[in-house]
Amino acid sequence: MSHPAALTDAHRTVDGFVPWPAEFARRYQADGHWQGGPLADRLRDWAVRYATGTALVGGSFEEPVRLTYRELDEAVDDLAAGLTELGLIAGDRVVVHLPNRIEFVTLLFASLRLGVIPVLTLPAHRRVEIEHLARLSGAVAYAIPDAHEGFDHRVLAEEIVAAVPSVRQVLVAGDAGRFTGLATVAAAGAAARADRPVTSAEPIDPAGVAVLLISGGTTGKPKLIPRTHWDYAFNAAASARVCGLTADDVYLVALPAAHNFPLACPGLLGAFGVGAKVVLAPAPSPEIAFGLIAREGVTVTAVVPTLARIWVLAAGWEGPDTTSLRLLQVGGAKLDAELARQIRPVLGASVQQVFGMAEGLLNYTRPDDGDEIACTTQGRPLDDADEIRVVDEHGVDVPPGTTGELWTRGPYTIRGYYRAAEHNATAFTPDGFYRTGDLVRRTAEGHLVVEGRIKDVINRGGENVSATELEEHLLTHPAIVQAAVIAAADEQVGESVRAVIVLAAGASLRLRELKVYLRDRGLARFMQPDLLTIVDDLPLTAVGKIDKRELRRRLD
Ligand code: OOB
């Protein structure tokens, strides 16, 4: 095994993290939001408590690999010992670019056990994002699969190593080529530790940074979101409670595991906390997901609306056995009510809307809210300590029922992005509220309805057209399966309204017909699209949301 040159101290400090003010930190501890040890210590507890229960199912669909809680904890110790042999120490950052494989989970916990901070990137990220994130975090290592979905990550790793001097190690799940195999590291670790449990050289502060998540923002380069052991543990455990998760549940990781939603809302971390079985889907396609749901008896999973639509359509054709599924969480982008209403009849599961963000705040519809609220609202905050404000453009609170920007702070919402002092000055208010940029309305019962993004508004000759609102109307048309509304430059009105749609198989639609349809729905004339563009598919972000930035670029 190759050993890296001695690591310098230049990349060791965890600077750029904005902690909660002492007064808040005290309160969150006193109230029990922040409690317990660092995240990897919890895996030790779970390994004792759930010992021989199945923790994790990975591998391919044809050849699944199963680990009990005890085996998972052992595998994590082996890898942690191996990483120590490689010279990784507390405070180092490692860019984790792994798909839904067992190594994602073992490397995540092995890093946490050493106080090494994983930077959780998504499989669809490529050179631009990875290079930026490796540089920004000052990462010393980069972890990849050999190849995934036809893309050889080792080629990308060559570029990253050449471009970012701090990256000394490339760790590979699978065939390592000229780099270091994670299996080799773990084997060396197993030999070195000789059954002794691994601990960090220095005690790990549970109030300190555990992981760096990637912002889902669609403007500018991704930002790093520092989540602490305490806040993230609360995030996962409180979410598990809201979902009624127990040891009898089987959680399917259908979205990329590195995304906050399937990772901790309640995701795999929340599922481990109650001793449930976690199943990693190598891909979210209906064939694989439905196959795993039937074979493993999956009870809960999380999807984005674009994926929910694909599953509902496919299930309509295939009639898969999804009888075990009790809860389908949908979030990440606005779920239209019509699609939401199809979920129970077609998939046999209750729908739960999740309006969350990697920065923290999570809103859930609750199991006892009833179908109407679950289908038409984006839920309410996870915890009473979540403070939310809905404000106008002057930062003044608006009454219930009025749309405004959502501001929030609380025990698991960050007070600043990592190493982003300049951006933080505008992204947060002086008293620590995160300005989400989301436009929401609070119903009389206290549920939130997402009405759009502050910047996703088309200024059509002085009239503001909300893209989200028009998209929702478009999706009610039977010929339309996907819709995105964007601005098109227009000499007369500045910006005109362009509807980009994907048609149902065999359907056709003309702008004139669409306008008549929208008019009959009672839509104002200024809200009507000026242009209609029909495409085969819409570009998606790394987690599967419609990517308008890329769409605008394509249509320019
Ligand atoms: C989740 O997190 P991110 O960080 O990828 O994206 C957050 C943004 C939100 O600010 C909002 O603009 C949008 O995505 N969003 C939704 C939504 N859930 C997220 N917009 C409308 N309706 C929803 N249900 O996307 C995320 C994190 C944790 C759980 C679920 C989703």
Side-chain angles (χ1 to χ4, degrees), residues 214-217 225 259-261 265 330-335 353-359 362 378 434 436 438 450 453 543 545:
I214 308 304
S215 70
I225 296 169
H259 190 271
N260 187 35
F261 192 8
C265 308
V330 189
K334 182 81 179 266
L335 172 67
Q353 294 209 43
V354 187
F355 163 37
M357 50 207 74
E359 288 81 357
L362 301 171
Q378 281 65 60
Y434 167 54
T436 66
D438 291 320
V450 177
R453 292 277 306 160
V543 76
K545 310 183 193 188

Short mmCIF file of all heavy atoms in Angstrom, two decimals, residues 214-217 225 259-261 265 330-335 353-359 362 378 434 436 438 450 453 543 545, ligand 1:
data_model
loop_
_atom_site.label_atom_id
_atom_site.label_comp_id
_atom_site.label_asym_id
_atom_site.label_seq_id
_atom_site.Cartn_x
_atom_site.Cartn_y
_atom_site.Cartn_z
N ILE A 214 -23.51 19.76 0.77
CA ILE A 214 -23.44 20.66 -0.38
C ILE A 214 -24.77 21.40 -0.48
O ILE A 214 -25.82 20.80 -0.39
CB ILE A 214 -23.26 19.84 -1.67
CG1 ILE A 214 -22.08 18.87 -1.54
CG2 ILE A 214 -23.11 20.72 -2.89
CD1 ILE A 214 -20.80 19.52 -1.19
N SER A 215 -24.72 22.70 -0.71
CA SER A 215 -25.97 23.44 -0.85
C SER A 215 -26.63 23.05 -2.17
O SER A 215 -25.96 22.80 -3.17
CB SER A 215 -25.72 24.94 -0.83
OG SER A 215 -25.05 25.34 -2.00
N GLY A 216 -27.96 22.98 -2.13
CA GLY A 216 -28.71 22.60 -3.33
C GLY A 216 -29.03 23.80 -4.20
O GLY A 216 -29.73 23.68 -5.20
N GLY A 217 -28.54 24.95 -3.82
CA GLY A 217 -28.86 26.18 -4.53
C GLY A 217 -28.60 26.07 -6.02
O GLY A 217 -27.64 25.43 -6.43
N ILE A 225 -21.92 23.28 3.72
CA ILE A 225 -22.80 23.46 4.87
C ILE A 225 -22.29 22.63 6.04
O ILE A 225 -22.32 21.40 5.98
CB ILE A 225 -24.23 23.04 4.47
CG1 ILE A 225 -24.73 24.00 3.38
CG2 ILE A 225 -25.15 23.01 5.68
CD1 ILE A 225 -25.99 23.56 2.72
N HIS A 259 -27.12 12.88 -0.19
CA HIS A 259 -28.04 14.01 -0.05
C HIS A 259 -28.71 13.95 1.31
O HIS A 259 -29.10 12.88 1.79
CB HIS A 259 -29.08 13.99 -1.18
CG HIS A 259 -29.92 15.23 -1.25
ND1 HIS A 259 -31.08 15.37 -0.54
CD2 HIS A 259 -29.73 16.40 -1.91
CE1 HIS A 259 -31.59 16.58 -0.79
NE2 HIS A 259 -30.78 17.22 -1.61
N ASN A 260 -28.85 15.13 1.90
CA ASN A 260 -29.45 15.26 3.23
C ASN A 260 -30.75 14.49 3.40
O ASN A 260 -30.99 13.90 4.45
CB ASN A 260 -29.70 16.77 3.45
CG ASN A 260 -30.17 17.11 4.85
OD1 ASN A 260 -29.77 16.48 5.81
ND2 ASN A 260 -31.02 18.10 4.94
N PHE A 261 -31.60 14.47 2.38
CA PHE A 261 -32.92 13.86 2.50
C PHE A 261 -32.81 12.35 2.81
O PHE A 261 -33.27 11.90 3.87
CB PHE A 261 -33.71 14.17 1.22
CG PHE A 261 -35.18 13.87 1.23
CD1 PHE A 261 -35.86 13.50 2.38
CD2 PHE A 261 -35.91 13.97 0.04
CE1 PHE A 261 -37.23 13.23 2.35
CE2 PHE A 261 -37.28 13.71 0.01
CZ PHE A 261 -37.93 13.33 1.16
N CYS A 265 -33.12 12.46 6.95
CA CYS A 265 -34.47 13.04 7.10
C CYS A 265 -35.58 12.00 6.96
O CYS A 265 -36.49 12.23 6.15
CB CYS A 265 -34.64 14.16 6.10
SG CYS A 265 -33.35 15.40 6.11
N VAL A 330 -41.93 12.59 -0.12
CA VAL A 330 -41.62 13.31 -1.36
C VAL A 330 -41.18 14.73 -0.99
O VAL A 330 -41.89 15.43 -0.27
CB VAL A 330 -42.82 13.36 -2.32
CG1 VAL A 330 -42.37 13.92 -3.68
CG2 VAL A 330 -43.44 11.98 -2.52
N GLY A 331 -40.04 15.13 -1.50
CA GLY A 331 -39.57 16.47 -1.21
C GLY A 331 -38.45 16.86 -2.14
O GLY A 331 -38.08 16.12 -3.05
N GLY A 332 -37.91 18.05 -1.91
CA GLY A 332 -36.81 18.54 -2.74
C GLY A 332 -37.27 19.56 -3.76
O GLY A 332 -36.51 20.42 -4.18
N ALA A 333 -38.50 19.43 -4.19
CA ALA A 333 -39.11 20.40 -5.11
C ALA A 333 -40.61 20.27 -4.93
O ALA A 333 -41.09 19.32 -4.30
CB ALA A 333 -38.70 20.10 -6.55
N LYS A 334 -41.34 21.21 -5.46
CA LYS A 334 -42.79 21.22 -5.23
C LYS A 334 -43.45 20.01 -5.86
O LYS A 334 -43.27 19.73 -7.05
CB LYS A 334 -43.39 22.52 -5.80
CG LYS A 334 -44.89 22.69 -5.59
CD LYS A 334 -45.24 23.20 -4.21
CE LYS A 334 -46.72 23.38 -3.99
NZ LYS A 334 -47.20 24.75 -4.27
N LEU A 335 -44.23 19.32 -5.05
CA LEU A 335 -45.01 18.17 -5.52
C LEU A 335 -46.39 18.69 -5.88
O LEU A 335 -47.06 19.32 -5.05
CB LEU A 335 -45.11 17.13 -4.40
CG LEU A 335 -46.05 15.94 -4.62
CD1 LEU A 335 -45.54 15.04 -5.75
CD2 LEU A 335 -46.19 15.13 -3.34
N GLN A 353 -45.15 14.90 2.56
CA GLN A 353 -44.35 15.93 1.90
C GLN A 353 -43.27 16.41 2.86
O GLN A 353 -43.52 16.60 4.06
CB GLN A 353 -45.21 17.10 1.45
CG GLN A 353 -46.19 16.67 0.36
CD GLN A 353 -46.55 17.80 -0.59
OE1 GLN A 353 -45.70 18.58 -1.03
NE2 GLN A 353 -47.82 17.86 -0.92
N VAL A 354 -42.09 16.59 2.31
CA VAL A 354 -40.95 17.06 3.09
C VAL A 354 -40.38 18.28 2.38
O VAL A 354 -39.95 18.18 1.24
CB VAL A 354 -39.86 15.97 3.23
CG1 VAL A 354 -38.78 16.43 4.18
CG2 VAL A 354 -40.47 14.66 3.69
N PHE A 355 -40.44 19.38 3.07
CA PHE A 355 -39.87 20.62 2.53
C PHE A 355 -38.66 20.92 3.40
O PHE A 355 -38.79 21.36 4.54
CB PHE A 355 -40.94 21.71 2.58
CG PHE A 355 -40.44 23.13 2.44
CD1 PHE A 355 -39.39 23.46 1.57
CD2 PHE A 355 -41.04 24.15 3.15
CE1 PHE A 355 -38.94 24.77 1.45
CE2 PHE A 355 -40.61 25.47 3.04
CZ PHE A 355 -39.55 25.77 2.19
N GLY A 356 -37.51 20.57 2.86
CA GLY A 356 -36.31 20.69 3.67
C GLY A 356 -35.19 21.35 2.92
O GLY A 356 -35.33 21.69 1.75
N MET A 357 -34.08 21.52 3.61
CA MET A 357 -32.91 22.14 3.00
C MET A 357 -31.67 21.66 3.74
O MET A 357 -31.73 21.42 4.95
CB MET A 357 -33.02 23.66 3.05
CG MET A 357 -33.36 24.23 4.40
SD MET A 357 -34.24 25.82 4.31
CE MET A 357 -35.89 25.35 3.79
N ALA A 358 -30.59 21.52 2.99
CA ALA A 358 -29.36 21.04 3.61
C ALA A 358 -28.90 22.00 4.71
O ALA A 358 -28.22 21.59 5.65
CB ALA A 358 -28.27 20.89 2.55
N GLU A 359 -29.32 23.25 4.63
CA GLU A 359 -28.95 24.24 5.65
C GLU A 359 -29.61 23.94 6.99
O GLU A 359 -29.20 24.49 8.01
CB GLU A 359 -29.37 25.65 5.19
CG GLU A 359 -28.51 26.23 4.06
CD GLU A 359 -28.92 25.74 2.68
OE1 GLU A 359 -29.84 24.89 2.61
OE2 GLU A 359 -28.32 26.17 1.68
N LEU A 362 -36.43 21.55 8.50
CA LEU A 362 -37.22 20.51 7.83
C LEU A 362 -38.69 20.72 8.18
O LEU A 362 -39.03 20.96 9.34
CB LEU A 362 -36.80 19.12 8.31
CG LEU A 362 -35.33 18.74 8.10
CD1 LEU A 362 -35.02 17.43 8.81
CD2 LEU A 362 -35.01 18.64 6.61
N GLN A 378 -46.81 21.62 2.24
CA GLN A 378 -45.44 21.11 2.38
C GLN A 378 -45.09 20.91 3.86
O GLN A 378 -43.94 20.88 4.24
CB GLN A 378 -44.46 22.05 1.69
CG GLN A 378 -44.42 21.85 0.17
CD GLN A 378 -45.73 22.23 -0.51
OE1 GLN A 378 -46.18 23.37 -0.42
NE2 GLN A 378 -46.36 21.27 -1.18
N TYR A 434 -31.65 32.35 8.79
CA TYR A 434 -31.25 32.00 7.43
C TYR A 434 -32.35 32.46 6.48
O TYR A 434 -33.51 32.12 6.65
CB TYR A 434 -31.04 30.48 7.33
CG TYR A 434 -30.91 29.97 5.91
CD1 TYR A 434 -29.98 30.52 5.03
CD2 TYR A 434 -31.71 28.93 5.45
CE1 TYR A 434 -29.87 30.06 3.73
CE2 TYR A 434 -31.60 28.46 4.15
CZ TYR A 434 -30.68 29.03 3.29
OH TYR A 434 -30.58 28.58 2.00
N THR A 436 -34.08 31.90 3.41
CA THR A 436 -34.11 30.71 2.55
C THR A 436 -34.23 31.03 1.06
O THR A 436 -33.87 30.22 0.22
CB THR A 436 -35.29 29.79 2.91
OG1 THR A 436 -36.52 30.47 2.60
CG2 THR A 436 -35.27 29.41 4.39
N ASP A 438 -36.95 31.03 -0.31
CA ASP A 438 -38.20 30.36 -0.69
C ASP A 438 -39.38 31.25 -0.36
O ASP A 438 -39.43 31.86 0.71
CB ASP A 438 -38.34 29.03 0.07
CG ASP A 438 -37.34 28.00 -0.38
OD1 ASP A 438 -37.09 27.92 -1.60
OD2 ASP A 438 -36.79 27.28 0.48
N VAL A 450 -45.36 26.08 -0.33
CA VAL A 450 -44.28 26.72 -1.08
C VAL A 450 -44.85 27.32 -2.35
O VAL A 450 -45.50 26.63 -3.14
CB VAL A 450 -43.16 25.71 -1.41
CG1 VAL A 450 -42.06 26.37 -2.24
CG2 VAL A 450 -42.57 25.11 -0.14
N ARG A 453 -39.62 30.41 -5.67
CA ARG A 453 -38.34 30.93 -5.20
C ARG A 453 -38.35 32.43 -5.46
O ARG A 453 -38.89 32.88 -6.47
CB ARG A 453 -37.17 30.32 -5.99
CG ARG A 453 -36.92 28.87 -5.80
CD ARG A 453 -36.09 28.54 -4.58
NE ARG A 453 -34.81 29.24 -4.52
CZ ARG A 453 -34.13 29.40 -3.38
NH1 ARG A 453 -34.60 28.94 -2.24
NH2 ARG A 453 -32.99 30.03 -3.38
N VAL A 543 -29.51 15.69 -7.78
CA VAL A 543 -30.41 14.87 -6.96
C VAL A 543 -31.74 14.63 -7.67
O VAL A 543 -32.61 13.93 -7.17
CB VAL A 543 -30.59 15.48 -5.54
CG1 VAL A 543 -31.52 16.68 -5.57
CG2 VAL A 543 -31.10 14.44 -4.56
N LYS A 545 -33.81 17.18 -9.27
CA LYS A 545 -34.76 18.28 -9.41
C LYS A 545 -34.60 18.87 -10.82
O LYS A 545 -33.53 18.80 -11.40
CB LYS A 545 -34.48 19.39 -8.39
CG LYS A 545 -34.34 18.88 -6.97
CD LYS A 545 -34.15 20.06 -6.02
CE LYS A 545 -33.70 19.59 -4.66
NZ LYS A 545 -33.68 20.65 -3.66
C1 OOB B 1 -33.64 19.43 -0.09
O1 OOB B 1 -32.53 20.13 0.24
P1 OOB B 1 -31.65 21.00 -0.76
O2 OOB B 1 -30.67 21.68 0.10
O3 OOB B 1 -31.16 20.15 -1.88
O4 OOB B 1 -32.63 22.07 -1.43
C2 OOB B 1 -33.37 22.96 -0.62
C3 OOB B 1 -34.35 23.76 -1.44
C4 OOB B 1 -35.34 24.53 -0.60
O5 OOB B 1 -34.81 25.76 -0.17
C5 OOB B 1 -36.48 24.69 -1.58
O6 OOB B 1 -36.20 25.70 -2.50
C6 OOB B 1 -36.49 23.39 -2.32
O7 OOB B 1 -35.16 22.90 -2.24
N1 OOB B 1 -37.40 22.41 -1.72
C7 OOB B 1 -38.75 22.36 -1.94
C8 OOB B 1 -39.23 21.26 -1.22
N2 OOB B 1 -38.18 20.68 -0.58
C9 OOB B 1 -37.09 21.40 -0.91
N3 OOB B 1 -39.56 23.16 -2.65
C10 OOB B 1 -40.87 22.83 -2.66
N4 OOB B 1 -41.40 21.80 -2.00
C11 OOB B 1 -40.62 20.97 -1.26
N5 OOB B 1 -41.15 19.93 -0.61
O8 OOB B 1 -34.15 19.51 -1.19
C12 OOB B 1 -34.23 18.59 0.98
C13 OOB B 1 -33.56 18.42 2.17
C14 OOB B 1 -34.10 17.63 3.16
C15 OOB B 1 -35.30 17.00 2.95
C16 OOB B 1 -35.96 17.16 1.76
C17 OOB B 1 -35.43 17.96 0.77
#
